[in-house]
Amino acid sequence: MSVRQMEGARAVAETVAACRPQVVCAYPITPQTHIVEGLGALVKTGTLAPCEFVNVESEFAAMSVAIGASAAGARAYTATASQGLLFMTEALYNASGMGLPIVMTVANRAIGAPINIWNDHSDAMSQRDSGWIQLYAETNQEAMDLHPQAFRLAEELSVPVMVCMDGFVLTHAFEALEVPDQAAVDAFLPPFEPRQVLDPDAPLTIGAMVGPEAFTEVRYLAFHRQREALTRIPEIAGEFRAAFGRDSGGLLHTYRCEDATTVVLAMGSVLGTLKDAVDGLRDDGERIGVVGLTSFRPFPMDAVREALGAAERVIVLERAFSVGVGGIVSANVHMALAGLDQRYHTVIAGLGGRAITGRSLRAMLLDAIGGRLDPLVFLDLDRGLVDRELERVRGHRRSGPAAENILRDLGIVAGGPHR
Amino acid sequence: MTEHPFAITLDVGTSRANHTGSWRTERPEYVRRLPPCNGACPAAEDCQGWLFHAESGDYEAAWRAIVADNPFPAVMGRVCYHPCETACNRGHLDEAVGINSVERFLGDLAIDRGWELPAALPGTGKRVLVVGAGPSGLSAAYHLRRLGHAVQVRDAAQRAGGMMRYGIPRYRLPREVLDAEIARITAMGVDLRMCAPVTDLAAAMAEGGFDAAFLAVGAGVGRRAHVPAGAAAKVIDAVAFLHAMEGAEPPRIGRRVVVYGGGDTAVDAARTAKRMGGEPVIVYRRTRDRMPAQDFEVREAEEEGVLVRWLSTITHVDAGEITVERMELDEHGFPQPTGETETLAADTVILALGQDCDLSLVHGLEGVEVADGTVRVGPDLMTGRPGVFAGGDMVPAERTCTTAIGHGRLAARHVDAWLRGTVHTPVPRPPLAEHASLNTWYYSEAPRTVRPHLEAARRSTGFDEVVAGLDEGTALFEARRCMSCGNCFECDNCFGVCPDNAVIKLGPGRGYRFDLEYCKGCGICATECPCGAIAMTPEPD
Amino acid sequence: MSTREIRYLQVGTHAVGNRLLDPSQRTVQADPERANALTCGHRACQGCGEALGARYVVDAALRATGGRLVAVNATGCLEVFSTPYPESSWQLPWLHSLFGNAPAVATGVAAALRARGLDDVRVLAQGGDGGTVDIGFGCLSGMFERNDDVLYVCYDNQGYMNTGVQRSGATPPAARTATTEAVGPHPGNPFGQGKDVPRIAMAHGIPYVATATVADLRDLEAKVERAMAIRGARYLHVLVPCPLGWGTPSNLTIRIARMATQSGLFPVFEARDGEVTGVTPIRQRVPVEDYLRPQRRFAHLFSHPSGAEALDRIRASAEANIRRYGLLDEEDRP
């Protein structure tokens, strides 16, 4: 194994290649592009062989090609983000429903409108019920390391796995990364042995229509498989640690949680900043820790309860939210902590690439510790801007597009009818 | 069950557990309908049935299917006016199947190969007298012999064949063909006695110890309508003329020959005269479209140089010339005299005005009724006298060779039943396979085989056959044009077009079976059956 | 299979089988050992043209590939009536994913087989006209332009029949569907709409495009066989009448399909590399009215005041097909 200075996306591409996918389908969407470009080049040069690299016409096709490939017994991989993930939604449910162990990297990005290419978790969160396992990487190294584990998990359980890594923040970041070497990956990840395959010598009908008499059972079995994953995810992470010496994956990581009365749970790259902020508060004597959730689906109820149960105050920091409700991850965390006497805060932060600064985090955490933090907070929300728009809407029923109005207020767009 | 994901992945072919036959309100059934050819055949041949064998090149099976009904395929293939072809549904599509020419091919092939008629069944001890060795008598003799009866055929003529020999010119029926087919019948053990007229039937039966008799003496007496003639006029009748052609010395008729009449016999006489070096003129009182002779015979005669004077009657015959009067058709189509006459040169006048029967053998015979010159018979061809049957030209019926042969076949069945003390009940005929019941899309538009004709010149100077037979390729071609009306011929359409795989193919010659476990009763098989051999019927309760 | 050799037979070129033919020249459907890829017990309506067409096509493809075949199916009637748990009517490896993605799924299967070194196993994708010309069209076009090694078969019954007979991009002008009701001044499906997917397929320059119907089995089987002899993207568009959606008696399925071709409204042709290379000439021409009248979806053409004008336009489109593809010999032209 060698450590090289490289871009996260490229490093993921090389790691995926080491997993020997036999069919890779690609449709470009920022910020996923560098991953599939890298794989395309590796296939073209013959470094990754045998492998069919298919340039499809849409994400819907990408997932569909992966479905066909997986059902025909090939290890299938693709990557996407944002609108692309939504465009393949129907196929995502289908892949998981049929138990096809596809692995996909999601370079997390906001969903429009307004169109926005920057990072948040709205895309993957929207697919939380798609039946896919969702693993969130904190770092590029973890993003890389999660892929061999994802293939292991997917193929053992016949469940598709999404590896989520923050767009731009990770995908486009250059850093020193260690690409696992081929022999080690081969030792860790056995060849794909499908649970079912399209084989003329043993024909099967795959994808039947199931009515009320068995649909519940079919869905329960999918649920059951994800519950099994709760056991296998940490075991596989353990095997990975044994083979590669790195602590990547698992259900969750705890950071300075011993004796913590305040614990912040988050997913993805924000954990780095968050840990820095927590370090600062620890330096100030605050009893505060961090839980980094890797496995959002399946959701590790027991592990979360164990990690957060002792805290007096729990803050869930998330990069997506459910309009009209609030936090998505936090809703799951609350379920895990049901019945405990704790204070809960949901902090929505970093939407559409909004930077989550250490300063903001520190201020928010201090508010929480000081009992000043609302249950639901949009971090760094420009309240004045929002209030002006709300005022305008109250005055004029047809006040024009909110996004444009806001941009106008910010002086980014000139002129307009509502001056 | 293989190990695979629950419910969403299934084992193949498991839908066979779902018996969709319960959806059905109508069910298909294979039926047999009467092909029009069979329905029209006076000899009751199963034309469609024997063509089926010919289509696959199994000519012997085809021939055996013919001789099950008719022992004269080679003769039939030459002299029958083939009402089968007139009835043939294929005529609606392009042109009728040349059934007759295929029959001739098979008949000739049988002679060539020396195929023998089926052996007689074990002897019944019964004796049947057949009077007349013409088509009807020989046909009856053949069938009766097959059924195990002892049969004696008696005929006044020198040679067997009746009108097949003494009425049909040899350019239409070569005598070696006739001889071969008769020889096959006698080879079965039929006792054929020539120059042995029966003048008193009762006496002959008693003398020979016969249990039954079939009379088929034909209509061999030329009708002599009154034509005023001078003493020196040379007038003969066509029957006698054609009969004389079979003698050692052909009759002298001179160069200028007038044939009087419009039937087939008139045409035969004229064409014969042409072949003898004469210049025949047919005088006929009506027009061509009212002429009873077969159209193709008239056409061939005209091609050979036979002239016809339409709308003319002969009013007087003298030595060397005749007087003819021009006729006009009245509003009912009957010819009426005009009084306009002219003379024609004529060395001989041949009268072809119809034929009568010599019924002297039944004169005074108790129970036998004679009316209008023919013997009355019932549907079983039995006369009023028990055990005495009659058929052919001597009973009221169409006077053709084929009808006569059919009478022989039918009579044999009734005679046999009568001898056994039972009644022969013919199998009821299924409904006719009409053209509308066919799906003719499936038949290719193959052109009809043109029978290669001999050159006209050669035809008119000798007695070679006018119409040459088909070779194997063309016969096969022709046979395969049969649409098998109303009878499954295993085209696999039903087997193929069923959306539910509910037709089971049983293998060559065994047809198909409907799988009612799965048949939904859609009826596509019936609609797409080319030959109308599937019917939809309401599902029984 | 030369049609000339057997043309003279009583029932040769047009019927399913012929006992007089050499077994090697008989249709696949005439073979008692045929695969019956879509077997008994399926839940298609009585007289379903799609059930028939699918068995014709898949059996022929199985023969052409020696049984080394995988099928991918779009959602639709064919999928629903063949695979309701716990019963499958299929007898070959078969995969159903979604309504609109069958061509892409087939691409994936083909890619997997290639990557796994199973080049002898071929892929057939199939769907109805909704799945093909409408919702699956993007995937279809992508599969075409990449020239993926898939034979895609569209069973065209000219509407969304599974959902209750709604209009599709393949619904013909004037046809009544549940979303183009026979009401108003211009009843039925509007004129001037719809897609001609075989021609669009040809525009992709793929190696093989053909049309066929369930009324001409030999032609259909020959086209499947030729298609399977070619590598790359191939498209076969098969007209399959729907008794339910068209309002025709169940026994007329094949006859109606035949009249579609014989009226000129459904041209049967074959194209290679974007060029028409063969047409099946009209053999027994019928007026468009003969084709339309037995179908209840066109009943208003014969009762509504606008019917005469609509019939004129339909006739004109038949004439246009006849001219474009040369469906009639010169002397047969009106």
Side-chain angles (χ1 to χ4, degrees):
Chain A
M1 290 189 218
S2 63
V3 176
R4 279 182 288 149
Q5 193 71 21
M6 56 200 307
E7 191 195 41
R10 174 74 199 190
V12 166
E14 290 191 18
T15 310
V16 168
C19 296
R20 300 189 188 277
Q22 291 156 297
V23 174
V24 172
C25 21
Y27 188 80
I29 182 166
T30 303
Q32 147 270 29
T33 43
H34 293 183
I35 301 173
V36 291
E37 286 167 7
L39 281 163
L42 291 168
V43 172
K44 263 222 168 252
T45 56
T47 309
L48 172 54
C51 179
E52 295 291 322
F53 185 83
V54 187
N55 279 298
V56 292
E57 71 280 1
S58 72
E59 287 88 356
F60 178 63
M63 186 43 58
S64 301
V65 169
I67 287 168
S70 185
R75 182 169 287 162
Y77 171 85
T78 189
T80 192
S82 182
Q83 317 292 138
L85 186 68
L86 266 62
F87 195 28
M88 61 170 69
T89 299
E90 190 190 11
L92 293 175
Y93 277 74
N94 187 253
S96 68
M98 292 200 288
L100 298 173
I102 299 160
V103 169
M104 173 167 65
T105 309
V106 176
N108 295 112
R109 172 186 145 180
I111 298 169
I115 189 165
N116 176 300
I117 64 168
W118 307 103
N119 170 237
D120 70 25
H121 289 170
S122 306
D123 52 3
M125 280 296 137
S126 76
Q127 300 308 315
R128 65 185 180 274
D129 298 333
S130 65
W132 284 58
I133 286 173
Q134 289 191 354
L135 305 177
Y136 285 77
E138 177 179 344
T139 63
N140 268 325
Q141 188 65 57
E142 186 172 45
M144 293 156 64
D145 293 347
L146 281 176
H147 282 90
Q149 297 187 47
F151 279 113
R152 270 280 300 269
L153 186 63
E155 292 169 12
E156 278 186 19
L157 299 177
S158 280
V159 182
V161 178
M162 242 178 248
V163 177
C164 302
M165 62 189 291
D166 288 332
F168 289 112
V169 181
L170 294 181
T171 55
H172 288 58
F174 276 76
E175 53 188 304
L177 295 168
E178 186 173 318
V179 176
D181 80 27
Q182 187 65 62
V185 175
D186 287 346
F188 178 77
L189 178 63
F192 177 33
E193 282 189 23
R195 186 168 171 217
Q196 56 181 358
V197 64
L198 296 166
D199 177 3
D201 294 324
L204 283 173
T205 295
I206 304 178
M209 183 175 72
V210 179
E213 70 278 20
F215 193 80
T216 303
E217 287 69 26
V218 172
R219 297 308 300 151
Y220 178 81
L221 289 167
F223 173 72
H224 179 78
R225 275 203 305 281
Q226 284 224 357
R227 300 300 293 235
E228 286 180 332
L230 289 173
T231 309
R232 288 302 291 148
I233 288 168
E235 287 171 358
I236 289 169
E239 289 175 45
F240 186 86
R241 189 186 314 113
F244 296 89
R246 278 193 301 278
D247 197 8
S248 292
L251 297 172
L252 51 75
H253 305 280
T254 54
Y255 181 75
R256 305 188 79 168
C257 284
E258 327 73 47
D259 78 358
T261 53
T262 301
V263 179
V264 192
L265 180 141
M267 302 192 304
S269 61
V270 74
L271 285 164
T273 319
L274 190 59
K275 285 176 184 173
D276 287 346
V278 164
D279 285 345
L281 289 168
R282 277 273 179 190
D283 291 347
D284 295 345
E286 299 292 347
R287 289 161 60 189
I288 186 165
V290 174
V291 171
L293 185 66
T294 308
S295 174
F296 176 61
R297 284 292 180 272
F299 192 81
M301 295 284 175
D302 294 345
V304 167
R305 189 178 177 96
E306 189 186 331
L308 298 176
E312 294 166 11
R313 182 177 295 105
V314 172
I315 303 162
V316 178
L317 176 71
E318 41 185 321
R319 307 190 75 149
F321 75 107
S322 175
V323 180
V325 177
I328 300 168
V329 180
S330 53
N332 289 266
V333 170
H334 290 174
M335 280 173 67
L337 302 176
L340 298 180
D341 183 20
Q342 294 173 308
R343 295 197 62 170
Y344 303 117
H345 303 277
T346 301
V347 178
I348 313 298
L351 299 182
R354 172 74 57 90
I356 304 175
T357 63
R359 202 158 56 99
S360 294
L361 284 177
R362 181 181 168 85
M364 176 272 290
L365 292 172
L366 285 170
D367 282 350
I369 293 162
R372 298 180 301 276
L373 191 68
D374 288 342
L376 175 63
V377 174
F378 287 78
L379 193 66
D380 293 344
L381 181 73
D382 186 339
R383 196 71 230 179
L385 191 68
V386 169
D387 288 345
R388 283 196 298 281
E389 172 64 11
L390 292 174
E391 186 61 31
R392 204 162 20 226
V393 173
R394 271 191 290 275
H396 307 275
R397 182 167 155 70
R398 299 180 63 184
S399 59
E404 233 181 281
N405 291 340
I406 289 166
L407 291 173
R408 213 175 280 120
D409 281 350
L410 290 170
I412 295 170
V413 174
H418 298 292
R419 281 278 136 183
Chain B
M1 294 285 278
T2 51
E3 275 305 313
H4 51 60
F6 170 69
I8 197 161
T9 298
L10 303 174
D11 287 309
V12 296
T14 40
S15 68
R16 293 187 68 87
N18 183 32
H19 291 173
T20 53
S22 60
W23 303 11
R24 201 171 50 238
T25 56
E26 280 190 305
R27 62 169 59 180
E29 281 179 2
Y30 289 105
V31 295
R32 301 187 85 88
R33 293 192 169 100
L34 180 68
C37 49
N38 295 5
C41 180
E45 284 188 22
D46 178 11
C47 304
Q48 176 272 325
W50 59 255
L51 281 166
F52 179 87
H53 295 297
E55 286 155 28
S56 61
D58 190 351
Y59 302 125
E60 182 164 352
W63 180 80
R64 295 208 171 278
I66 298 176
V67 299
D69 297 305
N70 182 339
F72 291 107
V75 171
M76 281 291 95
R78 289 172 168 83
V79 308
C80 181
Y81 295 128
H82 41 75
C84 52
E85 296 186 25
T86 307
C88 177
N89 276 327
R90 184 134 195 160
H92 295 269
L93 195 61
D94 45 17
E95 272 190 83
V97 176
I99 302 170
N100 186 240
S101 56
V102 179
E103 183 173 27
R104 169 168 164 187
F105 165 77
L106 295 170
D108 288 354
L109 191 67
I111 294 170
D112 189 48
R113 301 263 169 96
W115 294 335
E116 292 174 5
L117 293 172
L121 294 175
T124 59
K126 303 288 185 186
R127 290 174 55 76
V128 183
L129 173 65
V130 173
V131 184
S136 199
L138 289 173
S139 167
Y142 158 72
H143 286 290
L144 287 164
R145 182 71 201 111
R146 276 184 67 184
L147 292 166
H149 306 299
V151 183
Q152 185 181 96
V153 182
R154 292 175 63 170
D155 193 291
Q158 281 191 308
R159 306 194 63 185
M163 277 304 199
M164 294 188 286
R165 184 181 305 278
Y166 295 110
I168 297 171
R170 56 179 64 198
Y171 63 83
R172 280 180 56 206
L173 177 55
R175 297 306 183 236
E176 59 275 19
V177 170
L178 179 61
D179 292 342
E181 294 207 317
I182 294 173
R184 265 194 323 238
I185 295 171
T186 55
M188 291 174 74
V190 170
D191 176 12
L192 182 61
R193 301 194 177 183
M194 301 311 298
C195 302
V198 175
T199 51
D200 181 340
L201 181 64
M205 286 183 71
E207 188 184 315
F210 292 107
D211 301 293
F214 177 62
L215 312 182
V217 297
V221 182
R223 195 173 290 157
R224 300 290 299 239
H226 177 71
V227 178
K234 178 159 185 176
V235 179
I236 58 174
D237 75 75
V239 179
F241 167 63
L242 292 171
H243 193 287
M245 290 300 295
E246 294 304 305
E249 190 85 357
R252 293 170 171 276
I253 53 171
R255 185 170 60 84
R256 295 163 303 178
V257 179
V258 169
V259 178
Y260 193 28
D264 290 315
T265 306
V267 178
D268 285 346
R271 294 177 73 185
T272 300
K274 181 73 184 173
R275 283 167 174 73
M276 294 170 71
E279 293 171 6
V281 178
I282 294 173
V283 174
Y284 178 55
R285 62 195 178 115
R286 296 201 278 191
T287 52
R288 174 159 186 168
D289 54 325
R290 293 168 185 278
M291 198 176 191
Q294 296 289 321
D295 192 58
F296 74 90
E297 292 237 46
V298 181
R299 192 172 61 243
E300 287 179 2
E302 289 183 327
E303 283 168 16
E304 290 165 15
V306 173
L307 301 177
V308 186
R309 286 187 69 96
W310 309 105
L311 287 168
S312 303
T313 53
I314 299 176
T315 54
H316 198 269
V317 182
D318 276 315
E321 67 171 33
I322 62 171
T323 306
V324 296
E325 179 177 1
R326 196 177 68 76
M327 308 294 278
E328 274 181 357
L329 294 185
D330 63 18
E331 65 266 31
H332 305 295
F334 289 109
Q336 300 297 343
T338 61
E340 297 170 28
T341 61
E342 60 179 308
T343 57
L344 290 179
D347 299 323
T348 304
V349 174
I350 300 174
L351 299 180
L353 301 170
Q355 286 137 250
D356 292 321
C357 308
D358 177 359
L359 301 179
S360 56
L361 81 167
V362 294
H363 275 163
L365 197 61
E366 191 186 340
V368 176
E369 184 192 346
V370 174
D372 298 331
T374 54
V375 170
R376 303 282 111 172
V377 289
D380 58 357
L381 295 180
M382 191 157 79
T383 65
R385 185 178 176 89
V388 176
F389 297 75
D393 288 357
M394 68 181 287
V395 303
E398 192 184 25
R399 286 182 171 174
T400 68
C401 191
T402 318
T403 302
I405 288 170
H407 282 179
R409 172 187 174 279
L410 182 64
R413 280 158 173 68
H414 287 294
V415 170
D416 178 66
W418 189 83
L419 289 173
R420 296 175 194 275
T422 62
V423 173
H424 168 65
T425 311
V427 179
R429 287 187 155 195
L432 193 66
E434 289 168 352
H435 183 251
S437 70
L438 307 180
N439 187 338
T440 57
W441 170 266
Y442 292 103
Y443 302 101
S444 303
E445 299 90 334
R448 182 184 167 92
T449 307
V450 177
R451 299 186 192 191
H453 286 208
L454 293 175
E455 286 176 33
R458 189 176 165 221
R459 186 194 300 160
S460 56
T461 55
F463 284 89
D464 292 326
E465 278 200 90
V466 172
V467 180
L470 304 177
D471 60 20
E472 178 177 341
T474 48
L476 191 66
F477 183 110
E478 198 59 56
R480 289 182 175 190
R481 294 183 57 240
C482 171
M483 302 194 290
S484 194
C485 305
N487 287 271
C488 175
F489 59 97
E490 298 178 30
C491 74
D492 292 333
N493 252 24
C494 52
F495 180 61
V497 302
C498 176
D500 296 289
N501 305 318
V503 178
I504 296 165
K505 185 172 175 176
L506 301 174
R510 305 219 304 275
Y512 311 86
R513 184 167 67 72
F514 290 111
D515 187 345
L516 295 175
E517 293 281 2
Y518 299 105
C519 168
K520 293 172 185 163
C522 71
I524 293 180
C525 54
T527 301
E528 300 306 323
C529 175
C531 64
I534 299 173
M536 298 301 292
T537 59
E539 189 68 13
D541 293 329
Chain C
M1 185 182 309
S2 163
T3 51
R4 194 169 191 83
E5 274 174 45
I6 50 174
R7 196 184 128 63
Y8 65 88
L9 295 166
Q10 50 170 0
V11 176
T13 47
H14 305 294
V16 168
N18 192 321
R19 67 189 172 96
L20 306 174
L21 280 178
D22 184 81
S24 68
Q25 290 196 313
R26 295 180 197 174
T27 64
V28 176
Q29 289 304 312
D31 183 356
E33 302 298 314
R34 73 186 183 206
N36 275 343
L38 180 66
T39 195
C40 319
H42 63 69
R43 291 157 194 264
C45 303
Q46 291 157 319
C48 175
E50 190 174 30
L52 188 57
R55 195 188 71 226
Y56 283 177
V57 166
V58 181
D59 280 3
L62 280 166
R63 180 154 98 173
T65 58
R68 308 293 285 167
L69 186 71
V70 171
V72 172
N73 215 121
T75 306
C77 279
L78 179 59
E79 167 264 326
V80 168
F81 73 61
S82 65
T83 59
Y85 164 81
E87 295 159 4
S88 167
S89 301
W90 296 100
Q91 311 222 64
L92 80 167
W94 181 94
L95 173 66
H96 160 246
S97 171
L98 299 170
F99 200 3
N101 72 353
V105 173
T107 290
V109 173
L113 293 169
R114 204 159 44 241
R116 295 178 60 212
L118 300 170
D119 287 313
D120 62 322
V121 181
R122 307 295 299 280
V123 184
L124 183 148
Q126 52 189 358
D129 52 294
T132 304
V133 319
D134 290 347
I135 196 171
F137 191 67
C139 286
L140 184 68
S141 178
M143 188 275 278
F144 284 165
E145 64 84 12
R146 289 187 301 269
N147 199 26
D148 295 328
D149 189 21
V150 172
L151 169 62
Y152 189 93
V153 184
C154 171
Y155 302 109
D156 177 11
N157 58 19
Q158 305 189 333
Y160 292 90
M161 303 319 188
N162 188 42
T163 44
V165 195
Q166 293 85 12
R167 176 204 182 274
S168 81
T171 300
R176 176 269 166 203
T177 70
T179 49
T180 57
E181 283 288 1
V183 295
H186 301 288
N189 196 33
F191 281 83
Q193 301 186 350
K195 287 182 213 180
D196 186 343
V197 172
R199 291 176 65 216
I200 297 171
M202 286 165 61
H204 286 78
I206 58 174
Y208 190 82
V209 173
T211 64
T213 76
V214 286
D216 192 344
L217 172 64
R218 265 170 205 279
D219 175 69
L220 179 55
E221 288 188 351
K223 283 170 175 165
V224 171
E225 193 175 325
R226 281 195 286 276
M228 292 316 292
I230 297 169
R231 292 274 174 177
R234 291 142 288 145
Y235 181 70
L236 181 60
H237 190 99
V238 186
L239 184 71
V240 291
C242 170
L244 175 80
W246 294 18
T248 48
S250 62
N251 64 312
L252 292 188
T253 298
I254 291 177
R255 184 163 289 189
I256 288 287
R258 182 178 305 128
M259 286 199 282
T261 64
Q262 299 304 298
S263 63
L265 286 173
F266 188 85
V268 178
F269 65 93
E270 189 170 42
R272 301 224 182 200
D273 302 319
E275 299 293 332
V276 173
T277 53
V279 300
T280 303
I282 289 173
R283 184 170 159 241
Q284 292 175 12
R285 193 175 182 193
V286 298
V288 295
E289 290 88 337
D290 287 15
Y291 164 66
L292 301 168
R293 194 173 273 111
Q295 304 181 46
R296 210 161 51 243
R297 63 176 174 158
F298 292 115
H300 53 278
L301 291 177
F302 303 96
S303 61
H304 192 273
S306 70
E309 188 202 332
L311 281 168
D312 281 344
R313 296 186 73 168
I314 294 171
R315 256 190 300 275
S317 93
E319 290 299 335
N321 283 335
I322 288 167
R323 275 194 307 278
R324 172 179 284 146
Y325 295 102
L327 298 176
L328 283 180
D329 296 332
E330 283 299 327
E331 62 265 30
D332 294 336
R333 294 252 176 100

